[in-house]
Amino acid sequence: MEVMPQYDLSRLPENTALKQQKLPAHRLDLSASVVLSIFFATGGFCLCMGVILILSAKSTKELEINYTNICANCAQLREDSSNFDKECTCSVPFYLPENMEGNVYMYYKLYGFHQNLYRYILSRSNRQLLGKDIWDVKDCSPFQVSRNSTPIIPCGAIANSIFNDTITLSYNLNSSIHIEVPMLKSGLAWWTDKYVKFQNPRASDLASAFAGSAKPLHWTKPVYELDTDDPGNNGFVNEDLIVWMRTAAFPTFKKLYRRLKRVDYFAVGLPAGNYSFNISYNFPVTVFRGEKSVVLSTLTWIGGGGLFLGLTYTVTGALTLLASFAILAIHLMLKRTKKNFL
Amino acid sequence: MALCAKKRPPEEERRARANDREYNEKFQYASNCIKTSKYNILTFLPVNLFEQFQEVANTYFLFLLILQLIPQISSLSWFTTIVPLVLVLTITAVKDATDDYFRHKSDNQVNNRHSQVLINGVLQQEQWMNVCVGDIIKLENNQFVAADLLLLSSSEPHGLCYIETAELDGETNMKVRQAIPITSELGDISKLAKFDGEVICEPPNNKLDKFSGTLYWKENKFPLSNQNMLLRGCVLRNTEWCFGLVIFAGPDTKLMQNSGRTKFKRTSIDRLMNTLVLWIFGFLVCMGVILAIGNAIWEHEVGTRFQVYLPWDEAVDSAFFSGFLSFWSYIIILNTVVPISLYVSVEVIRLGHSYFINWDKKMFCMKKRTPAEARTTTLNEELGQVEYIFSDKTGTLTQNIMVFNKCSINGHSYGDVFDVLGHKAELGERPAPVDFSFNPLADKKFLFWDPSLLEAVKMGDPHTHEFFRLLSLCHTVMSEEKSEGELYYKAQSPDEGALVTAARNFGFVFRSRTPKTITVHELGTAITYQLLAILDFNNIRKRMSVIVRNPEGKIRLYCKGADTILLDRLHPSTQELLSSTTDHLNEYAGDGLRTLVLAYKDLDEEYYEEWARRRLQASLAQDSREDRLACIYEEVESDMMLLGATAIEDKLQQGVPETIALLTLANIKIWVLTGDKQAVNIGYSCKMLTDDMTEVFIVTGHTVLEVREELRKAREKMMDSSHTVGNGFTYQGKLSSSKLTSVLEAVAGEYALVINGHSLAHALEADMELEFLETACACKAVICCRVTPLQKAQVVELVKKYKKAVTLAIGDGANDVSMIKTAHIGVGISGQEGIQAVLASDYSFSQFKFLQRLLLVHGRWSYLRMCKFLCYFFYKNFAFTMVHFWFGFFCGFSAQTVYDQYFITLYNIVYTSLPVLAMGVFDQDVPEQRSMEYPKLYEPGQLNLLFNKREFFICIAQGIYTSVLMFFIPYGVFAEATRDDGTQLADYQSFAVTVATSLVIVVSVQIGLDTGYWTAINHFFIWGSLAVYFAILFAMHSNGLFDMFPNQFRFVGNAQNTLAQPTVWLTIVLTTAVCIMPVVAFRFLRLSLKPDLSDTVRYTQLVRKKQKAQHRCMRRVGRTGSRRSGYAFSHQEGFGELIMSGKNMRLSSLALSSFSTRSSSSWIESLRRKKSDSANSPSGGAEKPFKG
């Protein structure tokens, strides 16, 4: 090349690693040692994880009482929407065979309620719930305005269909002494929901701020009367509303309803014994062939939950380990034949 | 530019009056300005958009966009489609604009070339674009002809001028054009300025060798033919100047009429991709239908009851109608199975590969200072699938330089030091070239490395002297002496030029000739020989002789000719010499040299007189004059004394044999299609043909029956031997793909086919083309000689049509344009004078040898990368989209998406685009050196193994498998679990984030597995994409954005809440493991149980060494060979007569000669007659009209 220094080499491509496709690079080779170590590591990890998860899932206690049929008369009453103002209460006694220690959470669980329908999910007004512009109802179709054209607050299908049973739990020490189990109405929702996503309009008095609006069709009381005792839990920031507004992914879901207030008898949790749920039955489920139940549950480090994750981990771990041994065997066999070949 | 494109009604006839622009303007003929560009600034946007929306994919996305604007069925926001669509359209538009800009530039460059135009009696410099029909322009030597001209006059006598038409038809020998006598006298400007003749002729057409018109001047009519025309694209040679009248300009010229708009080429992957996209559409519709039925049933069973909470839309009156709407909604959300970014990504990858070709230093030609250029950016991966290469010869395989290489004189061979292949690298090892300084007339450019030959001359060896005397006398070269000692030879074939130049340097300088004499400076002394007769060359005789009388009065016949002919006509006494010369000839032929045998014969005075008388008689005979003359010639050219033999090297381009050997190993079949009369030598010298071949079939039949018979025989022979030899040799390539076959194995037992142009014409007829193809494809090498440009294209078309194989055509001249355009891939050799081939080509570089790199390295990689890219792309989109399908069963088929709509918008264009692009651009499976060492690595591309329908279904299956796990594992977990603070986990938004995150992680791990070559860029893109995903996720879910647009960013706080959950991470890890581990296991097992060659190459060093050893032997194949004479194969008949009549002598030299006008006109007549004869005879098939 040094023979022709004077030549005009302006068109000579640059000799850079990129342009000559010689970038320093690591070649990914699935060598046996790498693959086998990945497999054994993954298998071991999954298996251990699975066992841990199963053990911790076993340590939680859960109790579910389906009251759809237990409160059949109320259910029947609710099937006719004209009876919306009639009260119907229902008491569901049950026996807790062993103590539920630690934090106990009370959930309501709905079967067959589709909170994940496309139009349902969209039918809400975040601007309104943010308290910025409470008259913004344009995204709330088909529950934007009431029959007399006043804007609904909170508008939309989600808010309209709020779960409005009230459930209280009473501890029956004996046939005469019924202690109402103290429950917390706070800490049910995410911090961001409670303090960012939902805000009341800035007004001294909620009722006047919402004046001129209509309550949702299915609601018995307006939004500013959801919790008259606690102004921090009233209006849009009412945690039951917030929990409901966080729509569920699947038609069967449970939402946190109350937390056990660990005082007195219940300082360590729920003691074994007789209890009863006192339910004010407002939410109709039989119209769409749904069911509802109430769930009491304790948690572990990972949260509550079933065996699914633990079992899947265990199965995956076991299969991966099996595969690892199979691969090892194949590898060793091939190695021998190759040696003979070479 | 816009002026160039005026639309006119079709012309009936053309009228052009010289020097009368006003008159000619009436007809509004096209100006000489050419336009190949497509847009200008104003038309760019509408035209380009119109073109882009002709793409099915773009229209489809436009259609989707319209669907999304209908509120009842819109299941996704409009921006999910419009953002990618606009992005895609913009990228394509920018690319088109750049392409067109370069077209404008090249147009301008051509249009602004200068030529001298006679305006108002003065010669003026004008740009080409301003030359008009009817102008008279002056051309000088070596200038390009600016437009189609009628030759008026020239510097040469009788208005002759020489042109090279390589640009037009690829023929490299010079052609003669002559002005009609009446205008040939218009030699000076004042006369020309007064010339006001009018030409009426045919309208513009693309027939290169036909022209008919009439010149009306001074109330006389003069017929005009193609013989009077200079066409645009020709180059004036050996003619100082000439004047021409512009008849056709710009787009009307025959050159431009021949270069039709390039067909848009698509690769087979493109076609496959389109088919697959159609299938995916079908699949999409099926899914849509399933989900729509599901929706109708659900609405009927559940939805009606659920109306308390969610009444139906006003427009919906029945479950059926709801299902119908949901069909369209699902079409919208599932549209990502046909990703809009697919097409644009493919384009980007191809563009990247094109840049790698442009940037490749190893494809940069130092000598011509031209880099390789990918002119089309849409064909790269097809370079990895080529099965047939059609190559031109002259200028592509050879340099069209003839070099006097070796000679055998009186049984002694000279010139052996020279390395046959002419490797430049070995220059240093050679001794210095022979010093010719003793000879003031020597040509400095002539090099010879064997000093013993010069010594022999200096020693006064009579044989050597006679040898060079023959070379300096027996030829039809014209000499020109511009100043004392500065000699220029005008040879009509480069072979002759090389021989005469050799003689010149060895001290036998052909100085000048007159019709009756030849003056030669023999070692410094001028000797004038009397030229008694030239026994001219023709194709049957394959020899030429001169009869001269030396100053001593002795008459001698000197003859040179093809060995096959000449060796039979020698005197028996030369038997001994004959055998040693034959040995030498064999040796030369083995090296692929063009050989000639030289002989002489002394004639005594009486015999000559008597013979000359008979010859005169014969030449005056009315009937069968040719035959009689041939007889007479034959008689005198017998019992000659052998002098020796010459070997001329048709200089190959660098590295041609190696390249051909390598490409053959890569299972690529190479066909040489050449306009030359003889290409067998080249076949041998570039190792396409070897003497180890079982047989070389030569088809030369003149009639349909003969050709058919010859083809049939060839097939029979091949069948017979494959029965007897067994199938050890044939078809071994395809079967033993993993076995490395050595060079010798690959060539042994092979056949080759050589077919002539006129036979090819028959072979290409509809009823025989299949037979021909079958025969040709069974052969390892195919050489077609004397092929017209049209036939070249036909051959390519034939293979394309029946073989379903990817074809590549490579050539350098305008005669290759049709073939280059027809083949799947056209490659032009750049750095030559002509640029027609390059302009028509898809790739260009300046050396044939770069083809191996283009195919085996760039092509292979491109194919590999494109296949990996497509597999991954379909996989990732199916994994992404099918999740919606499964979710449909849980959300009442309401067309609810699983993911956030921003995720849907960004998934294809941000989160997953760059890693796969980086893989598509940079991936390498084996280093480039290995691709060259193991040509078999090229095979998967030819067999289309890496991406086909099967691979596609595997990818799809993997995608669906991933989507199932991606949906059902989180579903299983979420159905029961709660968060660690007791609140619900299974809310829709958390589920969306979990699935989206695991999807991004799984596809990132997958691309990590697919990327075989992790450069810093890959690292950056893969890790960057993950980082960007999380960054965007957190940004989209941030409080700030929510505060500003609460209705748009509904997912506020979701990322931080969901991704803080151990359950979510455990789910993601589990999903990833379950999706990836089977892939790893499968890959590893395939690698160890059924490795393909590239895997083996990566691992096995041992095999590599073995292969290298084989490589070394490759260069030393076959030294001996069958004899093939290359005598003057680009020679034309008739020049002998031309010389004897003195017609082409300059006036100055003619002054010395006894020159009679009468005989001269008869010469022209006879030359014309001969030309028309040959054109009409069947043997002239090759010269048949070239129909563009």
Side-chain angles (χ1 to χ4, degrees), chain A residues 1 4 7-9 11-15 18-32 35 38-39 42 45-46 49 53 105 107 112-114 116-122 124-127 130 132 136 138-139 142-143 157 160-161 187-193 196-197 218 243 246-251 253-256 259 283-285 287-289 299-309 312-313 316 320 327 330-331 334 342, chain B residues 74-76 298 301-302 305-306 308-313 356 358-362 364 366-367 369-371 858 861 865 887 890-892 894-896 921-922 924-928 967-969 971-974 976-984 986-991 1008-1009 1011-1017 1039 1042-1044 1046-1047 1050 1052-1054 1056-1058 1062-1063 1066-1067 1069-1070 1073-1074 1077 1080-1081 1083-1085 1087-1089 1098-1099 1102:
Chain A
M1 291 302 119
M4 39 183 77
Y7 274 28
D8 160 34
L9 295 176
R11 298 181 71 192
L12 178 70
E14 279 175 58
N15 191 14
L18 171 73
K19 294 192 173 181
Q20 301 308 319
Q21 303 200 59
K22 287 195 188 302
L23 285 174
H26 172 72
R27 273 174 204 283
L28 189 76
D29 285 323
L30 290 177
S31 66
V35 170
I38 290 175
F39 262 81
T42 315
F45 169 77
C46 288
M49 211 61 226
L53 286 171
Y105 298 83
Y107 302 88
F113 189 95
H114 286 81
N116 56 5
L117 299 179
Y118 174 67
R119 285 172 50 241
Y120 183 88
I121 288 188
L122 288 181
R124 64 190 282 162
S125 172
N126 280 348
R127 284 180 71 80
L130 192 54
K132 270 190 168 172
D136 178 6
K138 65 173 188 296
D139 289 341
F143 297 99
N160 182 55
S161 59
L188 310 180
W190 298 356
W191 186 90
T192 45
D193 282 359
V196 179
K197 205 171 180 181
H218 291 188
V243 167
R246 181 155 287 280
T247 53
F250 304 107
F253 57 89
K254 61 181 183 194
K255 286 180 185 279
L256 186 56
R259 295 189 297 143
F283 193 74
V285 288
V287 281
F288 59 91
R289 292 180 183 160
L299 297 184
T300 61
W301 61 278
I302 196 171
L307 290 167
F308 180 84
L309 195 58
T312 325
Y313 259 110
T316 309
T320 313
I327 289 173
I330 290 170
H331 174 66
L334 281 178
L342 296 178
Chain B
S74 158
S75 46
L76 275 178
W298 187 87
E301 297 290 318
V302 186
R305 299 164 195 281
F306 202 70
V308 195
Y309 297 117
L310 188 68
W312 283 347
D313 199 273
F356 282 137
N358 296 347
W359 284 336
D360 195 339
K361 238 183 111 186
K362 291 185 183 149
F364 180 82
M366 278 294 180
K367 216 161 85 197
R369 279 166 279 153
T370 27
H858 289 284
W861 274 347
R865 292 162 177 172
F887 189 55
F890 295 86
C891 67
S894 64
Q896 174 59 39
V921 174
F922 297 109
Q924 303 180 2
D925 57 342
V926 293
E928 56 180 42
F967 178 78
F968 285 98
I969 289 179
Y971 169 74
V973 175
F974 276 49
E976 305 175 42
T978 53
R979 293 159 55 89
D980 55 4
D981 58 355
T983 55
Q984 76 160 335
D987 69 291
Y988 163 74
Q989 295 188 338
S990 299
F991 182 72
L1009 278 179
T1011 306
Y1013 189 73
W1014 279 74
T1015 65
I1017 297 169
N1039 305 350
F1042 177 77
D1043 278 339
M1044 281 184 278
N1047 283 353
R1050 295 155 176 261
V1052 61
N1054 222 85
Q1056 70 217 57
N1057 281 298
T1058 307
T1063 317
L1066 285 173
T1067 312
V1069 168
L1070 180 66
V1074 175
M1077 294 317 277
V1080 177
R1083 295 238 169 127
F1084 178 74
L1085 289 181
L1087 208 66
S1088 27
L1089 295 177
R1098 258 177 288 164
Y1099 291 115
L1102 194 83

Side-chain angles (χ1 to χ4, degrees), chain B residues 404 436 446 468 471 497-508:
Chain B
F404 179 78
F436 290 107
F446 181 83
F468 284 115
L471 290 183
L499 290 176
V500 180
T501 308
R504 168 179 168 182
N505 275 44
F506 282 100
F508 289 77

Side-chain angles (χ1 to χ4, degrees), chain B residues 823-841:
Chain B
H824 291 104
I825 301 165
V827 178
I829 299 288
S830 58
Q832 315 264 354
E833 269 179 56
I835 48 165
Q836 287 302 308
V838 172
L839 286 182
S841 68

Side-chain angles (χ1 to χ4, degrees), chain B residues 203-394:
Chain B
N205 58 53
N206 60 5
K207 291 177 191 128
L208 285 179
D209 54 357
K210 286 265 152 49
F211 177 79
S212 63
T214 322
L215 172 69
Y216 293 84
W217 191 36
K218 295 179 179 166
E219 275 127 49
N220 276 321
K221 292 208 291 190
F222 306 93
L224 303 174
S225 76
N226 194 42
Q227 197 57 34
N228 317 113
M229 293 295 287
L230 302 177
L231 300 182
R232 181 174 181 147
C234 297
V235 182
L236 197 65
R237 296 282 187 215
N238 296 341
T239 310
E240 220 163 281
W241 50 260
C242 74
F243 282 98
L245 172 68
V246 178
I247 306 286
F248 300 121
D252 292 342
T253 56
K254 306 223 172 201
L255 178 72
M256 296 307 288
Q257 295 270 320
N258 259 309
S259 56
R261 176 147 287 188
T262 11
K263 276 180 269 171
F264 186 67
K265 291 180 182 174
R266 281 188 173 282
T267 65
S268 54
I269 293 260
D270 266 329
R271 287 188 294 274
L272 178 61
M273 217 156 71
N274 283 343
T275 321
L276 296 181
V277 164
L278 279 181
W279 287 5
I280 295 175
F281 280 151
F283 181 72
L284 178 65
V285 171
C286 287
M287 284 197 298
V289 167
I290 293 171
L291 292 164
I293 293 172
N295 181 265
I297 295 171
W298 187 87
E299 289 290 348
H300 182 71
E301 297 290 318
V302 186
T304 45
R305 299 164 195 281
F306 202 70
Q307 289 210 49
V308 195
Y309 297 117
L310 188 68
W312 283 347
D313 199 273
E314 293 123 49
V316 180
D317 51 1
S318 68
F320 176 78
F321 188 63
S322 163
F324 174 75
L325 290 185
S326 123
F327 170 78
W328 294 108
S329 305
Y330 269 111
I331 294 292
I332 294 173
I333 67 169
L334 296 176
N335 83 72
T336 44
V337 279
V338 191
I340 188 166
S341 50
L342 173 67
Y343 288 91
V344 78
S345 306
V346 165
E347 292 301 310
V348 168
I349 288 177
R350 285 174 177 161
L351 194 68
H353 295 171
S354 304
Y355 273 110
F356 282 137
I357 291 171
N358 296 347
W359 284 336
D360 195 339
K361 238 183 111 186
K362 291 185 183 149
M363 283 165 71
F364 180 82
C365 178
M366 278 294 180
K367 216 161 85 197
K368 289 169 184 157
R369 279 166 279 153
T370 27
E373 193 189 355
R375 299 173 45 82
T376 321
T377 56
T378 53
L379 298 175
N380 292 313
E381 77 272 0
E382 198 135 72
L383 290 173
Q385 299 185 282
V386 173
E387 278 183 69
Y388 287 88
I389 292 178
F390 299 91
S391 174
D392 179 39
K393 194 201 82 174
T394 315

